[in-house]
């Protein structure tokens, strides 16, 4: 599959498409020779799957301590994996002169994304899906054993941003504190979580969400196992995106070789009404 964007892809499969599910964009990099990257993509993907299927995603109110604790643990665990396996540039890499890895196909774990009501989880999911895309498309997928500190930095920066944003907006931490290397929320921080100290009264309430988009465990069971990217149908970005919109309406105000004003010509061969291009309507999902 090849797309003209690295944006999150719309998992437009059955009822999950209507519910706005998404997957990270692997572009044309369907797999990896690097077991460390395979492990990390699976670790992050599975955890994001469970986080985004919590009831918090359906409400605009601050996330529960359950969700924040899961994000905290994911951040700590990913930090262990990245710092424990990343090799500094001055340390020799382990080489395998008599074996060649077969490699593995990436698995993705579709998650509610495009129609998620909770603005905090939507934002954090965006950064985590970007981390997955960068990991899946990273040059070091060609390395059979090691990952470098450069890879750890490239992927870890998104997780850092999620954690820092959570610490500031949910726990009232200061920017200068959260950006210090090694910063972590304490057990006392988690035990005293109280969003009513920071959030407005309007942010603390919401309407009942659409209950028909809340799937049972059995309904999403096959998604939780991960889907090899080579077994997915062709996927595209969410239809309501800026690239598609501007491509459909942009015109070039110049005179064409045949003397026609280009403003009277619809973009991409579209229809013309009284000399003006007809703007295609973005599909409503």
């Amino acid at each position: 599959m090849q797309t003209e964007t690295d944006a999150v892809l719309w998992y437009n499969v059955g009822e999950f498409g209507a519910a706005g599910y998404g997957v990270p964009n692997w572009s044309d990099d369907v797999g990896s020779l690097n077991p460390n990257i395979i492990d990390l993509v699976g670790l992050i993907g599975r955890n994001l799957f469970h986080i985004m299927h919590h009831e918090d995603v359906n409400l605009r109110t601050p996330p529960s301590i359950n969700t924040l604790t899961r994000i905290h643990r994911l951040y700590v665990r990913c930090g262990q994996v990245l710092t424990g396996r990343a090799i500094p540039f001055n340390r020799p890499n382990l080489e395998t002169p008599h074996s060649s890895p077969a490699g593995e196909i990436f698995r993705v774990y579709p998650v509610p994304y495009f129609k998620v009501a909770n603005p905090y989880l939507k934002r954090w999911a965006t950064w985590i899906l970007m981390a997955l895309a960068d990991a899946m498309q990273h040059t070091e997928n060609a390395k059979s054993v090691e990952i470098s500190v450069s890879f750890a930095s490239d992927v870890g920066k998104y997780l850092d941003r999620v954690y820092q944003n959570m610490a500031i907006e949910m726990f009232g931490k200061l920017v200068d504190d959260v950006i210090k290397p090694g910063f972590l929320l304490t057990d006392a921080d988690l035990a005293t979580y109280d969003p009513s100290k920071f959030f407005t009264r309007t942010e603390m309430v919401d309407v009942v969400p659409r209950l028909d988009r809340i799937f049972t465990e059995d309904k999403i069971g096959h998604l939780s196992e991960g889907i090899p990217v080579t077994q997915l149908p062709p996927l595209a970005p969410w239809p309501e995106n800026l690239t598609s919109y501007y491509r459909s309406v942009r015109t070039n105000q110049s005179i064409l070789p045949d003397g026609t004003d280009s403003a009277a010509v619809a973009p991409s061969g579209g229809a013309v009404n009284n000399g003006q291009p007809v703007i295609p309507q973005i599909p409503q999902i």
Side-chain angles (χ1 to χ4, degrees), residues 52-146:
M52 297 304 290
H53 281 96
H54 190 270
E55 59 193 23
D56 286 348
V57 303
N58 300 309
L59 297 171
R60 294 179 176 85
T61 52
S64 66
I65 189 61
N66 306 59
T67 293
L68 300 184
T69 300
R70 292 185 180 104
I71 294 173
H72 168 75
R73 290 175 178 170
L74 174 61
Y75 180 72
V76 172
R77 182 59 181 147
C78 287
Q80 291 176 327
V81 171
L82 288 172
T83 59
R85 301 187 191 185
I87 304 298
F89 293 116
N90 62 348
R91 185 191 302 173
N93 285 205
L94 179 63
E95 296 178 342
T96 57
H98 298 296
S99 62
S100 177
E104 292 186 46
I105 300 296
F106 286 122
R107 287 178 175 267
V108 293
Y109 300 81
V111 295
Y113 178 70
F114 294 103
K115 293 188 176 182
V116 165
N118 192 287
Y120 321 105
L121 287 171
K122 174 71 178 293
R123 179 168 63 252
W124 300 337
T126 297
W127 292 333
I128 293 174
L129 289 166
M130 291 170 70
L132 287 169
D134 273 14
M136 297 164 87
Q137 298 185 43
H138 202 279
T139 305
E140 294 190 13
N141 282 293
K143 299 176 67 173
S144 59
V145 179
E146 312 284 24

Side-chain angles (χ1 to χ4, degrees), residues 159-187:
L159 302 172
D160 287 340
R161 183 55 59 89
V162 170
Y163 197 74
Q164 292 165 3
N165 185 253
M166 182 179 80
I168 293 169
E169 296 197 16
M170 301 295 146
F171 294 91
K173 298 299 181 179
L174 300 177
V175 174
D176 289 343
D177 292 331
V178 304
I179 62 175
K180 293 177 181 178
F183 169 82
L184 286 176
L185 293 167
T186 65
D187 290 341

Side-chain angles (χ1 to χ4, degrees), residues 205-226:
V205 297
D206 195 13
V207 298
V208 176
R210 284 190 53 169
L211 302 181
D212 61 316
R213 289 179 180 161
I214 300 176
F215 300 119
T216 65
E217 180 181 0
D218 291 339
K219 181 71 71 173
I220 62 174
H222 67 290
L223 301 183
S224 68
E225 298 175 359

Side-chain angles (χ1 to χ4, degrees), residues 1-49:
M1 181 209 72
Q2 291 186 345
T3 65
E4 297 180 2
T5 177
D6 283 322
V8 176
L9 294 174
W10 179 27
Y11 184 67
N12 188 18
V13 178
E15 56 195 325
F16 301 110
Y21 273 53
V23 295
N25 193 327
W26 65 93
S27 185
D28 57 355
D29 301 300
V30 299
S32 177
L33 299 180
N34 196 314
N36 293 303
I37 299 179
I38 290 290
D39 286 351
L40 188 69
V41 168
L43 170 66
I44 297 174
R46 291 194 305 272
N47 276 274
L48 182 63
F49 180 86

